[in-house]
Amino acid sequence: MDEFVAVVRLPNGLTQRVTIQADDSGKARAMLEAQYGRGCVLTLDRPQRW
């Protein structure tokens, strides 16, 4: 599994940065949309590894 960092729009209009683990970015987006609502994912990236 990989770790992804996303910015999602909450139902009240605010945004929040969240971290999620998934096999790929498509599954990560699907899980976030299931939790926060369709179209909520504003950005979805892998965090930088140093």
Side-chain angles (χ1 to χ4, degrees):
M1 283 197 162
D2 292 324
E3 186 174 271
F4 296 89
V5 175
V7 175
V8 296
R9 184 178 316 277
L10 302 174
N12 63 6
L14 299 176
T15 59
Q16 182 173 346
R17 184 176 178 263
V18 296
T19 303
I20 189 168
Q21 291 186 345
D23 293 329
D24 58 52
S25 61
K27 289 182 181 178
R29 182 176 297 274
M31 288 190 286
L32 290 168
E33 287 187 345
Q35 183 172 351
Y36 294 101
R38 187 172 180 211
C40 69
V41 181
L42 302 178
T43 64
L44 180 63
D45 299 304
R46 285 195 172 117
Q48 292 289 335
R49 302 284 186 210
W50 297 101

